[in-house]
mmCIF file of all heavy atoms in Angstrom:
data_model
loop_
_atom_site.group_PDB
_atom_site.id
_atom_site.type_symbol
_atom_site.label_atom_id
_atom_site.label_comp_id
_atom_site.label_asym_id
_atom_site.label_seq_id
_atom_site.Cartn_x
_atom_site.Cartn_y
_atom_site.Cartn_z
ATOM 1 N N ARG A 51 1.882 -129.378 55.085
ATOM 2 C CA ARG A 51 2.713 -128.895 53.982
ATOM 3 C C ARG A 51 3.358 -130.035 53.202
ATOM 4 O O ARG A 51 3.759 -129.830 52.060
ATOM 5 C CB ARG A 51 3.796 -127.946 54.536
ATOM 6 C CG ARG A 51 3.181 -126.651 55.108
ATOM 7 C CD ARG A 51 4.105 -125.998 56.134
ATOM 8 N NE ARG A 51 5.387 -125.648 55.564
ATOM 9 C CZ ARG A 51 5.586 -124.553 54.845
ATOM 10 N NH1 ARG A 51 4.626 -123.698 54.650
ATOM 11 N NH2 ARG A 51 6.758 -124.298 54.332
ATOM 12 N N ASN A 79 3.089 -129.515 40.205
ATOM 13 C CA ASN A 79 2.290 -128.299 39.936
ATOM 14 C C ASN A 79 0.860 -128.660 39.530
ATOM 15 O O ASN A 79 -0.098 -128.001 39.920
ATOM 16 C CB ASN A 79 2.956 -127.457 38.866
ATOM 17 C CG ASN A 79 4.287 -126.891 39.336
ATOM 18 O OD1 ASN A 79 4.402 -126.409 40.452
ATOM 19 N ND2 ASN A 79 5.292 -126.982 38.474
ATOM 20 N N ARG A 82 -1.007 -129.720 42.617
ATOM 21 C CA ARG A 82 -1.320 -128.574 43.480
ATOM 22 C C ARG A 82 -2.517 -127.778 42.975
ATOM 23 O O ARG A 82 -3.191 -127.123 43.764
ATOM 24 C CB ARG A 82 -0.096 -127.651 43.575
ATOM 25 C CG ARG A 82 0.979 -128.164 44.522
ATOM 26 C CD ARG A 82 2.163 -127.244 44.483
ATOM 27 N NE ARG A 82 3.224 -127.699 45.382
ATOM 28 C CZ ARG A 82 4.504 -127.410 45.172
ATOM 29 N NH1 ARG A 82 4.874 -126.710 44.136
ATOM 30 N NH2 ARG A 82 5.412 -127.852 46.024
ATOM 31 N N ILE A 85 -5.333 -128.757 44.955
ATOM 32 C CA ILE A 85 -5.255 -128.665 46.405
ATOM 33 C C ILE A 85 -5.137 -127.204 46.805
ATOM 34 O O ILE A 85 -4.084 -126.599 46.646
ATOM 35 C CB ILE A 85 -4.035 -129.428 46.976
ATOM 36 C CG1 ILE A 85 -3.924 -130.827 46.363
ATOM 37 C CG2 ILE A 85 -4.102 -129.486 48.480
ATOM 38 C CD1 ILE A 85 -2.679 -131.571 46.814
ATOM 39 N N ASN A 93 -1.180 -114.480 53.239
ATOM 40 C CA ASN A 93 -0.277 -114.456 52.076
ATOM 41 C C ASN A 93 -0.971 -114.010 50.787
ATOM 42 O O ASN A 93 -0.726 -114.572 49.730
ATOM 43 C CB ASN A 93 0.385 -115.827 51.862
ATOM 44 C CG ASN A 93 1.199 -116.265 53.040
ATOM 45 O OD1 ASN A 93 1.449 -115.471 53.964
ATOM 46 N ND2 ASN A 93 1.631 -117.503 53.047
ATOM 47 N N LEU A 94 -1.817 -113.005 50.890
ATOM 48 C CA LEU A 94 -2.362 -112.404 49.661
ATOM 49 C C LEU A 94 -1.242 -111.666 48.944
ATOM 50 O O LEU A 94 -0.243 -111.298 49.570
ATOM 51 C CB LEU A 94 -3.501 -111.440 49.994
ATOM 52 C CG LEU A 94 -4.766 -112.069 50.553
ATOM 53 C CD1 LEU A 94 -5.807 -110.989 50.842
ATOM 54 C CD2 LEU A 94 -5.341 -113.109 49.603
ATOM 55 N N PHE A 95 -1.411 -111.471 47.636
ATOM 56 C CA PHE A 95 -0.388 -110.760 46.865
ATOM 57 C C PHE A 95 -0.646 -109.248 46.982
ATOM 58 O O PHE A 95 -1.638 -108.751 46.432
ATOM 59 C CB PHE A 95 -0.406 -111.210 45.414
ATOM 60 C CG PHE A 95 -0.322 -112.716 45.280
ATOM 61 C CD1 PHE A 95 -1.229 -113.412 44.491
ATOM 62 C CD2 PHE A 95 0.680 -113.433 45.941
ATOM 63 C CE1 PHE A 95 -1.149 -114.802 44.372
ATOM 64 C CE2 PHE A 95 0.765 -114.823 45.818
ATOM 65 C CZ PHE A 95 -0.160 -115.495 45.037
ATOM 66 N N PRO A 96 0.218 -108.523 47.702
ATOM 67 C CA PRO A 96 -0.103 -107.134 48.046
ATOM 68 C C PRO A 96 -0.113 -106.197 46.839
ATOM 69 O O PRO A 96 -0.711 -105.135 46.897
ATOM 70 C CB PRO A 96 1.004 -106.743 49.030
ATOM 71 C CG PRO A 96 2.124 -107.681 48.749
ATOM 72 C CD PRO A 96 1.495 -108.960 48.283
ATOM 73 N N HIS A 97 0.565 -106.596 45.746
ATOM 74 C CA HIS A 97 0.644 -105.715 44.582
ATOM 75 C C HIS A 97 -0.517 -105.941 43.617
ATOM 76 O O HIS A 97 -0.583 -105.303 42.574
ATOM 77 C CB HIS A 97 1.968 -105.925 43.853
ATOM 78 C CG HIS A 97 2.172 -107.320 43.332
ATOM 79 N ND1 HIS A 97 2.125 -108.434 44.160
ATOM 80 C CD2 HIS A 97 2.376 -107.790 42.096
ATOM 81 C CE1 HIS A 97 2.314 -109.517 43.442
ATOM 82 N NE2 HIS A 97 2.470 -109.151 42.180
ATOM 83 N N LYS A 98 -1.396 -106.822 43.967
ATOM 84 C CA LYS A 98 -2.543 -107.126 43.103
ATOM 85 C C LYS A 98 -3.853 -106.780 43.808
ATOM 86 O O LYS A 98 -3.926 -106.914 45.034
ATOM 87 C CB LYS A 98 -2.543 -108.607 42.702
ATOM 88 C CG LYS A 98 -1.374 -108.980 41.790
ATOM 89 C CD LYS A 98 -1.464 -110.437 41.404
ATOM 90 C CE LYS A 98 -0.313 -110.853 40.505
ATOM 91 N NZ LYS A 98 -0.363 -110.214 39.175
ATOM 92 N N ALA A 110 -2.968 -117.535 34.510
ATOM 93 C CA ALA A 110 -1.586 -117.934 34.247
ATOM 94 C C ALA A 110 -1.487 -119.414 33.871
ATOM 95 O O ALA A 110 -0.628 -119.794 33.074
ATOM 96 C CB ALA A 110 -0.711 -117.639 35.477
ATOM 97 N N LEU A 111 -2.363 -120.208 34.434
ATOM 98 C CA LEU A 111 -2.308 -121.654 34.158
ATOM 99 C C LEU A 111 -3.274 -122.061 33.061
ATOM 100 O O LEU A 111 -3.410 -123.246 32.751
ATOM 101 C CB LEU A 111 -2.610 -122.433 35.435
ATOM 102 C CG LEU A 111 -1.581 -122.192 36.559
ATOM 103 C CD1 LEU A 111 -2.050 -122.760 37.866
ATOM 104 C CD2 LEU A 111 -0.224 -122.745 36.174
ATOM 105 N N TYR A 139 -7.168 -103.187 47.320
ATOM 106 C CA TYR A 139 -5.909 -103.886 47.526
ATOM 107 C C TYR A 139 -5.940 -104.555 48.906
ATOM 108 O O TYR A 139 -6.650 -104.093 49.795
ATOM 109 C CB TYR A 139 -4.730 -102.894 47.459
ATOM 110 C CG TYR A 139 -4.365 -102.557 46.029
ATOM 111 C CD1 TYR A 139 -4.986 -101.514 45.347
ATOM 112 C CD2 TYR A 139 -3.423 -103.319 45.356
ATOM 113 C CE1 TYR A 139 -4.664 -101.217 44.020
ATOM 114 C CE2 TYR A 139 -3.080 -103.031 44.041
ATOM 115 C CZ TYR A 139 -3.713 -101.993 43.375
ATOM 116 O OH TYR A 139 -3.391 -101.732 42.086
ATOM 117 N N SER A 141 -4.112 -104.448 51.412
ATOM 118 C CA SER A 141 -3.822 -103.579 52.564
ATOM 119 C C SER A 141 -5.055 -102.797 53.022
ATOM 120 O O SER A 141 -5.052 -102.229 54.101
ATOM 121 C CB SER A 141 -2.690 -102.605 52.220
ATOM 122 O OG SER A 141 -3.080 -101.812 51.128
ATOM 123 N N ARG A 155 -9.517 -117.083 46.459
ATOM 124 C CA ARG A 155 -8.381 -117.290 45.562
ATOM 125 C C ARG A 155 -8.108 -118.765 45.377
ATOM 126 O O ARG A 155 -7.862 -119.238 44.259
ATOM 127 C CB ARG A 155 -7.145 -116.575 46.144
ATOM 128 C CG ARG A 155 -5.871 -116.809 45.354
ATOM 129 C CD ARG A 155 -4.711 -116.032 45.912
ATOM 130 N NE ARG A 155 -4.249 -116.556 47.208
ATOM 131 C CZ ARG A 155 -3.192 -116.071 47.864
ATOM 132 N NH1 ARG A 155 -2.515 -115.059 47.368
ATOM 133 N NH2 ARG A 155 -2.829 -116.607 48.998
ATOM 134 N N GLY B 121 6.152 -116.451 52.458
ATOM 135 C CA GLY B 121 4.760 -116.845 52.263
ATOM 136 C C GLY B 121 4.247 -116.523 50.878
ATOM 137 O O GLY B 121 3.320 -117.176 50.381
ATOM 138 N N GLN B 122 4.822 -115.525 50.217
ATOM 139 C CA GLN B 122 4.381 -115.163 48.875
ATOM 140 C C GLN B 122 4.710 -116.285 47.873
ATOM 141 O O GLN B 122 3.873 -116.665 47.055
ATOM 142 C CB GLN B 122 5.075 -113.872 48.428
ATOM 143 C CG GLN B 122 4.645 -112.651 49.227
ATOM 144 C CD GLN B 122 3.210 -112.256 48.919
ATOM 145 O OE1 GLN B 122 2.868 -112.041 47.772
ATOM 146 N NE2 GLN B 122 2.383 -112.178 49.930
ATOM 147 N N GLU B 124 5.206 -119.395 48.684
ATOM 148 C CA GLU B 124 4.415 -120.590 49.044
ATOM 149 C C GLU B 124 2.978 -120.469 48.573
ATOM 150 O O GLU B 124 2.403 -121.436 48.057
ATOM 151 C CB GLU B 124 4.466 -120.789 50.561
ATOM 152 C CG GLU B 124 5.850 -121.170 51.040
ATOM 153 C CD GLU B 124 5.902 -121.429 52.530
ATOM 154 O OE1 GLU B 124 4.930 -121.086 53.226
ATOM 155 O OE2 GLU B 124 6.913 -121.994 52.992
ATOM 156 N N ALA B 125 2.393 -119.292 48.731
ATOM 157 C CA ALA B 125 0.995 -119.118 48.316
ATOM 158 C C ALA B 125 0.874 -119.346 46.798
ATOM 159 O O ALA B 125 -0.013 -120.029 46.330
ATOM 160 C CB ALA B 125 0.510 -117.713 48.675
ATOM 161 N N ARG B 127 3.010 -121.010 44.775
ATOM 162 C CA ARG B 127 3.291 -122.396 44.436
ATOM 163 C C ARG B 127 2.119 -123.303 44.792
ATOM 164 O O ARG B 127 1.801 -124.258 44.086
ATOM 165 C CB ARG B 127 4.570 -122.898 45.137
ATOM 166 C CG ARG B 127 5.870 -122.211 44.744
ATOM 167 C CD ARG B 127 6.152 -122.243 43.264
ATOM 168 N NE ARG B 127 6.179 -123.583 42.689
ATOM 169 C CZ ARG B 127 7.257 -124.345 42.595
ATOM 170 N NH1 ARG B 127 8.402 -123.908 43.042
ATOM 171 N NH2 ARG B 127 7.183 -125.549 42.041
ATOM 172 N N SER B 128 1.449 -122.993 45.908
ATOM 173 C CA SER B 128 0.335 -123.859 46.334
ATOM 174 C C SER B 128 -0.847 -123.756 45.368
ATOM 175 O O SER B 128 -1.694 -124.642 45.324
ATOM 176 C CB SER B 128 -0.119 -123.498 47.760
ATOM 177 O OG SER B 128 -0.919 -122.338 47.750
ATOM 178 N N GLY B 130 -0.381 -123.850 42.211
ATOM 179 C CA GLY B 130 0.002 -124.654 41.063
ATOM 180 C C GLY B 130 0.941 -123.938 40.095
ATOM 181 O O GLY B 130 1.337 -124.481 39.085
ATOM 182 N N ASN B 132 4.405 -122.668 38.687
ATOM 183 C CA ASN B 132 5.773 -123.158 38.847
ATOM 184 C C ASN B 132 6.688 -122.023 39.304
ATOM 185 O O ASN B 132 6.250 -120.877 39.481
ATOM 186 C CB ASN B 132 6.278 -123.810 37.543
ATOM 187 C CG ASN B 132 6.340 -122.807 36.398
ATOM 188 O OD1 ASN B 132 6.415 -121.595 36.620
ATOM 189 N ND2 ASN B 132 6.292 -123.304 35.191
ATOM 190 N N LYS B 135 7.020 -118.915 36.803
ATOM 191 C CA LYS B 135 5.802 -118.074 36.770
ATOM 192 C C LYS B 135 5.640 -117.327 38.082
ATOM 193 O O LYS B 135 5.229 -116.159 38.090
ATOM 194 C CB LYS B 135 4.543 -118.947 36.544
ATOM 195 C CG LYS B 135 4.393 -119.458 35.118
ATOM 196 C CD LYS B 135 2.938 -119.852 34.845
ATOM 197 C CE LYS B 135 2.721 -120.204 33.396
ATOM 198 N NZ LYS B 135 2.927 -121.638 33.130
ATOM 199 N N LEU B 139 5.379 -113.316 38.161
ATOM 200 C CA LEU B 139 4.086 -112.679 38.480
ATOM 201 C C LEU B 139 3.972 -112.204 39.922
ATOM 202 O O LEU B 139 3.218 -111.292 40.222
ATOM 203 C CB LEU B 139 2.942 -113.667 38.190
ATOM 204 C CG LEU B 139 2.763 -114.062 36.727
ATOM 205 C CD1 LEU B 139 1.750 -115.184 36.586
ATOM 206 C CD2 LEU B 139 2.358 -112.873 35.884
ATOM 207 N N VAL B 140 4.702 -112.863 40.815
ATOM 208 C CA VAL B 140 4.501 -112.564 42.238
ATOM 209 C C VAL B 140 5.741 -111.920 42.875
ATOM 210 O O VAL B 140 5.648 -110.861 43.491
ATOM 211 C CB VAL B 140 4.126 -113.843 43.024
ATOM 212 C CG1 VAL B 140 4.021 -113.557 44.516
ATOM 213 C CG2 VAL B 140 2.811 -114.395 42.485
ATOM 214 N N GLN B 144 7.018 -107.353 43.104
ATOM 215 C CA GLN B 144 7.131 -106.790 44.451
ATOM 216 C C GLN B 144 8.557 -106.386 44.756
ATOM 217 O O GLN B 144 8.817 -105.340 45.348
ATOM 218 C CB GLN B 144 6.674 -107.801 45.506
ATOM 219 C CG GLN B 144 5.208 -108.129 45.406
ATOM 220 C CD GLN B 144 4.781 -109.059 46.544
ATOM 221 O OE1 GLN B 144 4.889 -108.706 47.705
ATOM 222 N NE2 GLN B 144 4.315 -110.247 46.195
ATOM 223 N N GLY B 221 0.334 -96.927 44.097
ATOM 224 C CA GLY B 221 -0.372 -98.046 43.486
ATOM 225 C C GLY B 221 -0.644 -99.174 44.454
ATOM 226 O O GLY B 221 -1.556 -99.971 44.263
ATOM 227 N N ARG B 222 0.149 -99.219 45.525
ATOM 228 C CA ARG B 222 -0.043 -100.246 46.538
ATOM 229 C C ARG B 222 -1.368 -100.085 47.276
ATOM 230 O O ARG B 222 -1.877 -101.012 47.864
ATOM 231 C CB ARG B 222 1.071 -100.140 47.568
ATOM 232 C CG ARG B 222 1.901 -101.344 47.676
ATOM 233 C CD ARG B 222 3.111 -100.970 48.514
ATOM 234 N NE ARG B 222 4.237 -101.785 48.134
ATOM 235 C CZ ARG B 222 4.482 -102.977 48.662
ATOM 236 N NH1 ARG B 222 3.712 -103.476 49.557
ATOM 237 N NH2 ARG B 222 5.513 -103.663 48.268
ATOM 238 N N GLY B 223 -1.886 -98.854 47.302
ATOM 239 C CA GLY B 223 -3.192 -98.582 47.916
ATOM 240 C C GLY B 223 -3.192 -98.673 49.395
ATOM 241 O O GLY B 223 -2.480 -99.416 50.011
#
Side-chain angles (χ1 to χ4, degrees):
Chain A
R51 293 157 60 81
N79 294 317
R82 282 176 180 153
I85 312 176
N93 300 350
L94 292 180
F95 307 129
H97 61 303
K98 292 182 180 292
L111 298 170
Y139 281 88
S141 60
R155 176 177 70 177
Chain B
Q122 293 290 305
E124 292 182 347
R127 296 304 305 270
S128 78
N132 62 23
K135 285 201 174 90
L139 296 172
V140 176
Q144 294 185 61
R222 240 169 209 273

